[in-house]
Amino acid sequence: MAETVKKSVPEAEELPKAIVRRVVKDKLSRCSEDGDISIHKDALLAFSESARIFIHYLSATANDICRESKRQIINAEDVFEALKETEFPEFIPSLKASLEEFRMKNAGKRAAASKENETKKKRKLEAESSEKGEEGVSQ
Amino acid sequence: MASSKKEKKIIEDKKKEQKIKEKKEVKNKEEKLNLSNGNSKQHKDKSLNTLCSSDLEKQDNNTTVINGPTSGTKPKRKREEHEHDEEDVSKTHAFPINRIRTVIKGEDPNSRVSHEAIIAINKATEKFLEQLTLDAYTRCVQERKKSLSYMHLAHVVSKERRYDFLSDFVPGKVKAEDALKERYSGGSGGG
């Protein structure tokens, strides 16, 4: 009988309550145009817990898919396949969109970083040349 | 010279107030869109946000103009831009990446997950929460309640097959009396 005692979840594995609340409230405010609907505290707790279990569920499914194809690291495709398997295929398009965005951002950051480096180098060169020029003038 | 400048400023003030109103509306809409359509609108949003912030600052600027000093607006602008940057970061993924990783590793410490997969899982979790909210909300409307309670969630979980994995975690509420009866009747079997 003692087996049914709840295992307490370590705090590090809980999802941030504020973010869960924001996601749920935003969705609710989009659903109901007439008036705000309040959320009970226990409902919010259940939402956050459900999201956590969903991550476990999804990652475990993706892990299985990954192992089936004899790879070591779970990639985005595995997650998509896992979503199909867990009957949430309608999420896939928006996932792809946000992944694309992420890649674009990363590419942008890299490009910006390389540009910065280039400009720094140019500045250095310019500074050096100008120094030389000044030296030449002073001489 | 000074008086004409003041007049110009007043006209500008009015224009800016209008702009700000319009842009606030646009911003609100965009924020909603952003959440629903993923992040496809983000680039536009970013530019609008920065526009908005600069306009808002101008308003601040103008309100202070009446009193005279206009100093102290520059650092403020920097701060706001910084805030917008942070918003942008949070928009690609709702939840903190490290937290998602700990949750995944909590189940299987040996599993290795690529960064892109974590971003996908992050987004999926957000979509899942939204879907669950929507389903619970429709139930809530069916019952004509003004607030979303645990029972709505439990009902959704018990009704839809794809939420079956949650059934152990979001069980329907049972009266303590019944639960205790059940426990004592079947308790000897291992509870």
Side-chain angles (χ1 to χ4, degrees):
Chain A
M1 271 187 274
E3 284 165 24
T4 53
V5 176
K6 266 190 191 173
K7 277 187 230 164
S8 63
V9 181
E11 205 174 290
E13 279 195 32
E14 276 175 28
L15 292 170
K17 290 264 158 51
I19 298 176
V20 174
R21 187 189 294 121
R22 196 184 65 208
V23 171
V24 173
K25 282 214 163 176
D26 281 356
K27 183 69 188 173
L28 273 184
S29 64
R30 256 178 286 144
C31 291
S32 64
E33 284 153 4
D34 40 326
D36 271 335
I37 283 193
S38 60
I39 312 165
H40 279 272
K41 246 190 179 175
D42 49 357
L44 209 58
L45 191 67
F47 271 121
S48 126
E49 195 69 352
S50 302
R52 193 176 64 80
I53 301 304
F54 177 74
I55 295 175
H56 277 307
Y57 182 49
L58 188 62
S59 63
T61 316
N63 200 9
D64 288 346
I65 290 166
C66 182
R67 279 190 190 163
E68 268 171 33
S69 51
K70 291 178 183 171
R71 278 180 287 108
Q72 292 283 318
I73 302 169
I74 299 170
N75 61 27
E77 280 302 318
D78 295 328
V79 178
F80 296 155
E81 282 302 313
L83 277 176
K84 276 181 207 162
E85 208 161 283
T86 54
E87 295 180 54
F88 293 101
E90 74 263 31
F91 298 166
I92 295 174
S94 62
L95 289 207
K96 282 187 174 164
S98 85
L99 252 190
E100 198 56 39
E101 183 113 5
F102 168 74
R103 282 175 189 155
M104 289 269 282
K105 253 191 183 177
N106 250 12
K109 269 182 195 170
R110 272 176 210 160
S114 61
K115 265 189 187 177
E116 259 181 36
N117 281 340
E118 274 178 25
T119 48
K120 272 182 188 173
K121 276 181 190 172
K122 272 187 186 175
R123 269 179 207 163
K124 263 192 180 177
L125 284 172
E126 278 171 16
E128 279 171 14
S129 62
S130 65
E131 273 173 20
K132 277 178 189 172
E134 276 170 18
E135 277 170 17
V137 166
S138 61
Q139 279 172 0
Chain B
M1 280 294 283
S3 63
S4 65
K5 267 189 183 175
K6 271 187 184 174
E7 278 172 14
K8 271 185 184 175
K9 268 176 188 167
I10 289 163
I11 293 163
E12 278 174 13
D13 279 6
K14 281 177 184 173
K15 279 183 185 173
K16 272 162 196 168
E17 274 174 11
Q18 276 184 344
K19 267 191 187 174
I20 289 155
K21 275 180 190 171
E22 285 168 10
K23 268 167 191 167
K24 271 185 182 171
E25 283 171 13
V26 173
K27 197 182 171 187
N28 284 338
K29 277 183 191 170
E30 289 260 342
E31 272 175 358
K32 284 180 180 179
L33 273 173
N34 215 7
L35 282 163
S36 61
N37 296 350
N39 299 302
S40 54
K41 295 254 172 183
Q42 204 168 4
H43 286 292
K44 271 190 188 173
D45 212 20
K46 195 181 174 183
S47 57
L48 269 172
N49 274 351
T50 45
L51 271 175
C52 266
S53 68
S54 60
D55 270 356
L56 281 169
E57 280 153 19
K58 275 173 192 167
Q59 195 193 24
D60 286 347
N61 211 339
N62 289 330
T63 48
T64 50
V65 159
I66 299 161
N67 296 329
T70 54
S71 60
T73 49
K74 272 192 177 177
K76 200 178 180 184
R77 178 172 297 177
K78 271 184 187 171
R79 209 189 307 146
E80 285 199 11
E81 275 173 6
H82 193 65
E83 277 169 16
H84 283 302
D85 283 350
E86 281 174 5
E87 271 176 31
D88 278 348
V89 168
S90 66
K91 269 170 192 166
T92 24
H93 35 77
F95 296 101
I97 292 288
N98 275 338
R99 189 62 62 93
I100 302 275
R101 190 174 275 135
T102 20
V103 174
I104 296 169
K105 297 259 175 180
E107 184 168 278
D108 182 3
N110 297 323
S111 66
R112 297 169 71 192
V113 192
S114 76
H115 195 74
E116 285 195 352
I118 288 184
I119 286 190
I121 289 174
N122 201 330
K123 188 72 192 171
T125 312
E126 193 189 332
K127 296 295 286 179
F128 168 75
L129 260 184
E130 286 184 3
Q131 186 61 45
L132 192 59
T133 310
L134 181 65
D135 291 342
Y137 169 75
T138 41
R139 176 68 189 164
C140 186
V141 170
Q142 277 169 12
E143 288 191 350
R144 298 187 184 179
K145 292 274 162 60
K146 281 271 173 184
S147 60
L148 195 67
S149 76
Y150 177 87
M151 282 316 291
H152 300 130
L153 266 174
H155 180 266
V156 167
V157 168
S158 67
K159 282 286 166 198
E160 278 206 44
R161 210 168 65 86
R162 61 178 182 173
Y163 292 131
D164 262 0
F165 69 97
L166 288 175
S167 57
D168 284 348
F169 299 92
V170 190
K173 275 188 182 170
V174 190
K175 273 187 185 170
E177 217 179 303
D178 300 343
L180 284 173
K181 262 185 205 167
E182 211 172 285
R183 191 165 165 178
Y184 285 122
S185 62
S188 53

